[in-house]
């Protein structure tokens, strides 16, 4: 067994391979003295689609030479004294059915006597084939193929013997059982026949030509015939309707050809009238799997069809109702698995049928509420109870809308919990309205609270100056202690101004919030207004021992503004800083031009503002922290007035604070105006020069003390003064006195100030006279009425005497 043993060319080898059969699946044990010879031979056999197994020695070969071994391939050189006994034992101990093929590759020629004896010994004990060297490759393959086929037949014989033995055993064990069953067969046959006859279904069998060869009693009864009249006949012979007979005959042949069952239904009019029948035709197979007959079962489904029509009509009616309902209707199983969703659901959410069914409907719930909604459903499902919950649902356009989902548990006739039926309704507008109402209610409650606090503070703020004034008056009544008169006068003046400021703030905030205030703009340098504001709050700053540092550049802060209102803005902010800074504090005022804006910062090292409080600082009646012992005063409307006046000037005001105790900064930004020429400045300065006095003034007021006090002040400054306390007296005094100016109260008894003014304007004695309203009425409507009645100016009580003096001085200049 070496390379020289294969002398066939390659093309011959390829031709031989085509002849190798499936017998190559049995292993061929190879034993050669040289490992390379064995490997070379094994490779060749593998290419020939055989299954070689190389054995290292005779012991391994003998261990594998069992019933599943196909053949043994030996080199003559491997037969030595040690291997021959082992191989003899294997060959002699084979089963009776086994004759293991052995192929020995030998050298050519007779050889020695010893060699001939060894080969002869194998020839007597085994199915041995000798292959002499050199040999064709096809010879080796063909020899092994024949040996393998012989071995396969031996294995088949073995299996046949085993099966025969098993069958014999089964047959012996079955004979007794067969004898027992045979006795029961007739009785069981009778039972089967009785059962088939009693069933409500129609049972029958056809032969291959479509003739009845069996039927139970049901079919003949329907046809109005006997079983004997049906057997051996086809549908045409039994007077079936021609079209039905053709259809049934065709279907029987279809079952025979396809060997598959067929299901159908048909209406049929028989002895019991017209009914609907459902039938199944199935092939009956012979032992060789051929069809030897066709069996059929027919069932009357007339009642079932009627019930199905009722159910279908009910279902269609429910579907129509559900699709027409304004709500989105749904049905789920106990685990939330959705089995029905109305059309309105799909139209609302944009989901498809596949996306909505099952648990897909939950994907339309807002992610923030999906888990909570699922937990609510599970909790209600565990308790088998009604539930109602709100969540946001994604609409087809992507917007999330608030909906209310209501679920009612469903139960079967036996009380079994089947799941839920429910509805989903869009309540987005209602939910939004409720939220807006709640927000509005919260705002109203907050406003009401702040209003109550404001009224309480207003009473406090009014009583304080009134108490001071009352005490000062008591001191002034003591004529013996004149040293207190000057102090009492200062108190009355200061507290009167405080009362006037409170009243002015109330009137201003009312006009601002209603958009009724009117600015009297002029081109001005804001430095003068800032300095006036600093002077106005100087007493408060001194009282609290604060230090005010002001940086106010002159000639750079030009504005188109109302000087009175501008000063009011900064007085309020400076007073606010002084009140909310502990004694001996610092206040800084810094003004500068930044681009197209005039920016004023008022900063303090006082109490500061909590960040969350800043947005509400400018709301009406909003104040800082207060206590019963608080002494700063104020009505909580100052910052509201400031913001309103800034807006009217096309500007803004903002607040900043690092927190409680860290001080605060208020920043006012107003649009800057172009710097005026020198001529404008000079003219403005001249217009504000004092104009002198010496006028005849008529003071008309039903409050005798107020009229007398004003008359004394005017008389001290050189004015000639006459008094009147009602309308008629005023007209009479004016006719006799011909006043240059009339200071006229509007709220007079009998004839009011408006009517008095109209009469004065019509009287030649008052031609060109200055008529000024001094009144407690300060609304825009009051100002409009006074203007229509002929008043030149409208001053609200209490009136600053300096303002009255300025008006009279201008009047004196005008009449010169």
């Amino acid at each position: 067994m070496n390379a020289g043993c294969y002398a066939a060319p390659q093309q011959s080898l390829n031709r031989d391979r085509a002849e190798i059969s499936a017998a190559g699946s049995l292993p061929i044990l190879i034993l050669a003295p040289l490992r390379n010879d064995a490997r070379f031979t094994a490779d060749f056999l593998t290419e020939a689609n055989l299954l070689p197994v190389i054995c290292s020695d005779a012991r391994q070969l003998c261990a594998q030479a069992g019933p599943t071994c196909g053949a043994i391939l030996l080199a003559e050189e491997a037969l030595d004294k040690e291997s021959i006994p082992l191989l003899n034992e294997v060959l002699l101990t084979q089963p009776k059915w086994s004759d293991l093929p052995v192929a020995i590759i030998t050298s050519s020629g007779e050889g020695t006597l010893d060699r001939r004896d060894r080969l002869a010994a194998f020839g007597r004990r085994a199915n041995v084939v000798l292959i002499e060297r050199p040999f064709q490759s096809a010879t080796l393959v063909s020899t092994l193929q024949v040996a393998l086929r012989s071995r396969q037949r031996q294995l088949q014989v073995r299996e046949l013997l085993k099966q025969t033995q098993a069958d014999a055993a089964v047959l012996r064990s079955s004979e007794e059982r067969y004898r027992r069953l045979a006795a029961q067969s007739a009785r069981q046959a009778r039972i089967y026949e009785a059962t088939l006859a009693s069933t409500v279904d129609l049972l029958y069998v056809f032969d291959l030509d479509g003739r009845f060869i069996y039927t139970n009693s049901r079919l003949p009864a329907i046809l109005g015939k006997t079983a004997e009249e049906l057997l051996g006949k086809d549908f045409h012979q039994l007077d079936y309707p021609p079209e039905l007979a053709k259809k049934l005959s065709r279907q029987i042949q279809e079952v025979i050809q396809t060997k598959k069952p067929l299901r159908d239904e048909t209406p049929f009019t028989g002895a019991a009238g017209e009914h609907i029948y459902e039938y199944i035709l199935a092939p009956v197979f012979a032992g060789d799997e051929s069809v030897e007959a066709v069996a059929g079962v027919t069932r009357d489904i007339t009642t079932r069809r009627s019930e199905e029509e009722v159910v279908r009509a009910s279902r269609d009616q429910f579907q129509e109702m559900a699709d027409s309902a304004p709500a989105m209707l749904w049905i789920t199983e106990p685990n939330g698995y959705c089995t029905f969703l109305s059309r309105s659901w799909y139209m609302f959410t944009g989901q498809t049928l596949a996306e909505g069914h099952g648990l897909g409907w939950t994907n339309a719930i807002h992610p923030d509420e999906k888990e909570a909604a699922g937990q609510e459903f599970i909790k209600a499902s565990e308790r088998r109870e009604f539930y109602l919950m709100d969540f946001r649902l994604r609409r087809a356009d992507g917007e999330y809308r608030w909906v209310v989902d209501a679920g009612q548990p469903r139960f079967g006739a036996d009380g079994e919990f089947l799941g839920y039926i429910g509805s989903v309704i869009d309540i987005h507008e209602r939910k939004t309205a409720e939220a807006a109402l709640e927000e509005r209610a919260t705002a109203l409650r907050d406003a009401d609270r702040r209003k109550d606090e404001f009224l309480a503070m207003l009473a406090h703020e009014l009583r304080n100056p009134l108490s001071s004034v009352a005490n000062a008056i008591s001191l002034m009544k003591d004529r013996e202690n004149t040293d207190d008169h000057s102090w009492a006068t200062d108190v009355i003046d200061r507290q009167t101004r405080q009362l006037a400021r409170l009243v002015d703030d109330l009137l201003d905030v009312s006009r601002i919030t209603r958009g009724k205030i009117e600015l009297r703009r002029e081109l001005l340098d804001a430095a003068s207004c800032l300095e006036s504001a600093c002077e106005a709050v100087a007493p408060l700053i001194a009282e609290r021992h604060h230090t005010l540092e002001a940086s106010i550049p002159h000639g750079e802060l030009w504005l188109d503004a109302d000087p009175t209102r501008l000063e009011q803005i900064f007085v309020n902010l400076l007073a606010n800083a002084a009140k909310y800074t502990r004694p001996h504090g610092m206040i800084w005022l810094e003004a500068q031009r930044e681009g197209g804006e005039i920016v004023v910062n008022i900063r303090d090292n006082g109490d500061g503002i909590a960040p969350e409080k800043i947005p509400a600082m400018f709301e009406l009646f909003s104040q800082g922290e207060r206590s019963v012992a608080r002494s700063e005063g104020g009505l909580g409307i100052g910052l509201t007035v400031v913001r309103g006046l800034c807006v009217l000037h096309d500007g803004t005001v903002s607040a900043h604070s690092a927190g409680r105790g860290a001080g605060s900064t208020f920043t006012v930004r107003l649009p800057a105006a172009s710097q005026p020429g020198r001529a404008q400045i000079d003219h403005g300065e001249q217009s504000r020069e004092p104009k002198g006095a010496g006028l005849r003034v008529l003071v008309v007021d039903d409050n005798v003390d107020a009229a007398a006090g004003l008359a004394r002040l005017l008389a001290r400054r050189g004015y000639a003064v006459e008094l009147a306390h009602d309308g008629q007296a005023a007209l009479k005094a004016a006719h006799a006195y011909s006043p240059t100016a009339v200071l006229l109260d509007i709220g007079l008894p009998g004839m009011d100030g408006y009517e008095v003014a109209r009469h004065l304007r019509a009287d030649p004695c008052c031609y060109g006279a200055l008529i000024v309203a001094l009144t407690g009425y300060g609304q825009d409507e009051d100002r409009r009425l006074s203007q229509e009645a002929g008043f030149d100016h409208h001053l609200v009580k209490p009136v600053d005497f300096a303002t009255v003096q300025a008006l009279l001085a201008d009047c004196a200049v005008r009449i010169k």
Side-chain angles (χ1 to χ4, degrees), residues 384-402:
R384 313 290 196 261
E385 63 184 14
F386 172 82
Y387 74 83
L388 186 71
M389 59 181 166
D390 297 350
F391 52 76
R392 284 173 290 175
L393 193 67
R394 186 181 64 245
R395 199 167 59 182
D397 59 4
E399 179 188 356
Y400 280 96
R401 307 269 299 177
W402 280 104

Side-chain angles (χ1 to χ4, degrees), residues 139-150:
T139 301
L140 178 60
V141 172
S142 178
T143 301
L144 291 175
Q145 184 179 7
V146 171
L148 291 173
R149 287 175 179 169
S150 173

Side-chain angles (χ1 to χ4, degrees), residues 481-500:
N481 191 354
T482 58
D483 294 339
D484 292 332
H485 288 187
S486 176
W487 177 86
T489 302
D490 291 341
V491 169
I492 293 173
D493 179 66
R494 186 167 59 253
Q495 296 302 326
T496 302
R497 289 178 182 274
Q498 172 68 7
L499 285 170

Side-chain angles (χ1 to χ4, degrees), residues 204-214 252-253 255-260 282-295:
Y204 42 85
V205 181
F206 303 101
D207 63 13
L208 298 183
D209 293 325
R211 293 186 294 264
F212 283 98
I213 59 176
Y214 169 79
I252 289 173
Q253 294 305 314
V255 171
I256 295 172
Q257 293 171 7
T258 62
K259 299 181 179 181
K260 294 181 179 179
V284 178
F285 295 100
D288 60 355
E289 297 300 318
S290 62
V291 178
E292 64 178 0
V294 174

Side-chain angles (χ1 to χ4, degrees), residues 538-549:
L540 177 60
I541 289 176
E543 178 185 343
R544 297 182 65 83
H545 307 289
H546 294 324
T547 299
L548 172 62
E549 292 186 0

Side-chain angles (χ1 to χ4, degrees), residues 622-692:
S622 178
Q623 291 180 303
E625 297 295 330
R626 296 193 302 270
S627 66
V628 176
R630 189 186 65 82
S631 59
E632 290 83 359
L635 299 176
I637 60 177
L639 292 180
T640 305
V641 172
V642 168
R643 181 181 64 178
L645 292 176
C646 285
V647 171
L648 288 174
H649 283 87
D650 302 315
T652 61
V653 60
S654 59
H656 172 75
S657 176
R660 299 301 301 275
S664 57
T665 301
F666 286 82
T667 302
V668 175
R669 293 180 177 272
L670 299 171
S674 300
Q675 183 172 351
R678 185 65 203 171
Q680 291 175 292
I681 299 175
D682 292 343
H683 177 75
E685 291 173 351
Q686 293 172 5
S687 66
R688 283 189 286 273
E689 291 178 355
K691 303 300 179 181

